[in-house]
Amino acid sequence: MYVRVYDLKNNRYYKSIVYGIVDGYIKQFIVLNPFLNAFELVDYIDKRNKECNTFINMINPDKSEWVSLKNAYLLKYKKYCKEKNVKFSLEAFNGYEDIYNNFEFMEKLIRDKLVPVENLNVELRNLDDENEWHYIRTQDDANEFLKLFANFHDSTLESLNYTEDNNTRKLNVIFNNTCWYGIVELCFEGLIAMNLRPAGDNCFRYLYSGCLIVKDECVFWADEYLEDEDLNYEYNFIKAFNVKWKDIEGTKQ
């Protein structure tokens, strides 16, 4: 699972693979804070906020390598906590099995909420599809793609495919820019907003330019050069928690 995390103490966002979800009195996520190079135990919901805003925004909910443990499967850990006098109500654990089996790590994380990565015997994970997709994580990544794709100049939006379930909001968009680069697919994960305004009958469908703006660990695309995101922009735009891209046809040399 891949999420965006709000760091309340420092008023900033970061993205992380989820190493586990602990269900006790409240739901908490085990994530890796890249600013601190440390694992954090983060509440899912901001309990002080009456509107139930979340600290965790879902991006990619893939749990294919996770285990789901509850009831009798938690007895060994509960025994360990009793021996260590750790007071924590654990009703269920969902995540990587080696994380759960590292009782010393779990005990430190539950007690201190923050555990530095150094000197820990914990396997750090990468996203499973990083060999297939190019992730746009920073504005520099976005600028590099824009330069490569000629700022969307002379490109056409060929298709959009939107999928949604309880945890997923994803939009796959294919752009054709064979005059300059080739054909690419952009995958917007954790879709926040979009607006689609097709070209009029007397207008060309070719784009003149475009933008990709990375801010607060979100990305905003529009079919025109904008200096900042604008959800009131009257033409085509997309905003999501994450974007990645790949070639789907040979690169123009």
Side-chain angles (χ1 to χ4, degrees), residues 34-47:
F35 297 111
L36 304 176
N37 195 31
F39 287 96
E40 282 192 302
L41 191 62
V42 179
D43 293 351
Y44 174 60
I45 294 178
D46 184 354
K47 300 179 292 299

Side-chain angles (χ1 to χ4, degrees), residues 36-175:
L36 304 176
N37 195 31
F39 287 96
E40 282 192 302
L41 191 62
V42 179
D43 293 351
Y44 174 60
I45 294 178
D46 184 354
K47 300 179 292 299
R48 304 159 309 157
N49 193 315
K50 295 181 179 180
E51 297 179 357
C52 294
N53 286 344
T54 60
F55 292 117
I56 304 289
N57 301 123
M58 303 296 180
I59 296 176
N60 186 334
D62 180 30
K63 304 176 184 178
S64 57
E65 297 182 10
W66 281 19
V67 296
S68 182
L69 304 174
K70 58 182 180 180
N71 301 327
Y73 292 100
L74 301 175
L75 291 179
K76 288 184 178 180
Y77 180 71
K78 290 184 177 181
K79 180 182 178 182
Y80 175 88
C81 288
K82 186 176 181 180
E83 293 173 350
K84 293 288 185 177
N85 196 29
V86 177
K87 296 181 180 180
F88 184 78
S89 176
L90 180 62
E91 303 299 329
F93 173 85
N94 294 279
Y96 294 109
E97 188 171 10
D98 62 312
I99 295 295
Y100 169 76
N101 287 331
N102 193 329
F103 291 169
E104 182 180 359
F105 166 70
M106 290 285 289
E107 182 254 325
K108 288 180 180 178
L109 190 63
I110 290 170
R111 183 188 65 225
D112 301 330
K113 307 299 182 184
L114 187 74
V115 179
V117 170
E118 57 190 35
N119 301 324
L120 276 178
N121 185 25
V122 174
E123 180 186 352
L124 301 182
R125 262 75 178 189
N126 295 315
L127 293 168
D128 293 337
D129 60 358
E130 283 190 299
N131 292 329
E132 180 184 359
W133 294 88
H134 304 280
Y135 276 78
I136 295 178
R137 294 183 170 93
T138 66
Q139 188 60 53
D140 286 343
D141 293 338
N143 293 342
E144 183 178 344
F145 172 78
L146 289 170
K147 183 178 180 181
L148 189 69
F149 206 61
N151 293 300
F152 288 90
H153 181 64
D154 284 341
S155 65
T156 56
L157 195 162
E158 296 295 311
S159 67
L160 300 97
N161 181 34
Y162 176 70
T163 56
E164 178 180 355
D165 58 29
N166 290 335
N167 295 311
T168 306
R169 300 183 307 277
K170 182 171 68 173
L171 182 69
N172 290 73
V173 187
I174 294 177
F175 288 97

Side-chain angles (χ1 to χ4, degrees), residues 210-241:
C211 67
L212 274 174
I213 299 169
V214 179
K215 182 178 181 181
D216 290 336
E217 296 295 342
C218 292
V219 63
F220 177 87
W221 171 85
D223 63 352
E224 183 56 89
Y225 172 75
L226 302 176
E227 293 187 353
D228 200 356
E229 67 177 53
D230 181 5
L231 296 183
N232 294 315
Y233 179 62
E234 61 179 326
Y235 298 108
N236 299 314
F237 71 81
I238 302 167
K239 183 176 181 179
F241 292 126

